[in-house]
Amino acid sequence: MTIDIILFLVAAAFVAGYVDAVAGGGGLITIPALLLSGVDPLTALGTNKVQSLFGSASATIAYAAKGHMNLREQAPVAVLSFGGACLGALGARVLPTEILQTGLPFLLIAVALFFAFKPGLSDVDAERRISPAVFAFTLVPLIGAYDGLFGPGTGSFFMLAFVSLAGYGVLKATAHTKLLNFASNFGGFTVFALAGAVIWKVGLIMGVAQFVGARLGAMTAMRFGATFIRPLLVVVCLALAIRLLWQ
């Protein structure tokens, strides 16, 4: 790759890290950037997992450092997300994804409408609708498996689950989403790396930019809370839905 292409990918990773730390959807930026740079689709997915690990790890550390989550308490739940993603990535080799491609844009539009018009959404926790055990053993591995199998919108689905079912405030949900998204990214990365579908140098260079962008995004989210996270989440969901429909 030429220097121009590398700089283009670094810039894309920085912006993706910032957006992903706040509202998810960073892959909406980095995967097309990798494809435009001439990387084949399977390797683009694997390389994207490498660099996205840096972004989700950076955001997770930033949120945990400010007390928005307890890493030790959430570690078992993250393991379930990791396991689900591994199974999903393995299933990607044999399971058709056409149904997901068809239905996903409409699910993302529904998520956008929820966060745009649901009254009372703020950084204050609300009433929990399901128990922590049910949440951890059903929704977490299920969304993790989706991330390994297909991927786009994973952060938005974790956010929806935390806010609508676990009763988390928007900022707290964002923090916990980043941890579980890191775990699912790591699960998908493990399978892709073992399959050799990774360009390591590109992934690591982009990862550094992701790390910096994600740290800035997390700082912005913690400063402005729901008033910043909600509209950006709506925009990201709609942008991803439009892109998938266009494809």
Side-chain angles (χ1 to χ4, degrees), residues 219-242:
M219 290 172 60
T220 305
M222 287 185 284
R223 180 177 180 182
F224 297 104
T227 57
F228 180 71
I229 297 171
R230 282 185 67 176
L232 186 58
L233 182 62
V234 171
V235 170
V236 168
C237 287
L238 291 177
L240 185 52
I242 291 169

Side-chain angles (χ1 to χ4, degrees), residues 136-159:
F137 285 99
T138 57
L139 290 172
V140 170
L142 182 63
I143 298 174
Y146 165 78
D147 191 23
L149 177 65
F150 197 58
T154 299
S156 301
F157 295 140
F158 272 130
M159 278 287 293

Side-chain angles (χ1 to χ4, degrees), residues 8 10 18 42 52 54-55 69-70 74 80 96 100 113 130 134 140 146 156 174 186 202 205 213 232 240 242:
F8 165 68
V10 166
Y18 184 93
L42 181 62
S52 64
F54 285 79
M69 83 174 90
N70 187 313
Q74 294 301 315
L80 293 172
L100 289 174
L113 292 174
I130 61 176
V134 172
V140 170
Y146 165 78
S156 301
T174 302
F186 193 65
V202 173
I205 291 172
L232 186 58
L240 185 52
I242 291 169

Side-chain angles (χ1 to χ4, degrees), residues 11-31:
F14 175 83
V15 175
Y18 184 93
V19 172
D20 203 58
V22 179
L28 176 68
I29 299 169
T30 51
I31 291 178

Side-chain angles (χ1 to χ4, degrees), residues 45 49 52-53 56 76-95 97 100 136-152 154-155 158 177-194:
L45 291 174
K49 288 297 182 186
S52 64
L53 279 174
S56 53
V77 185
V79 171
L80 293 172
S81 181
F82 170 85
C86 288
L87 292 176
L90 290 171
R93 298 184 176 187
V94 295
L95 297 175
T97 59
L100 289 174
F137 285 99
T138 57
L139 290 172
V140 170
L142 182 63
I143 298 174
Y146 165 78
D147 191 23
L149 177 65
F150 197 58
T154 299
F158 272 130
T177 288
K178 288 299 99 187
L179 173 62
L180 298 189
N181 211 170
F182 169 77
S184 63
N185 280 336
F186 193 65
F189 156 75
T190 301
V191 174
F192 280 114
L194 291 175

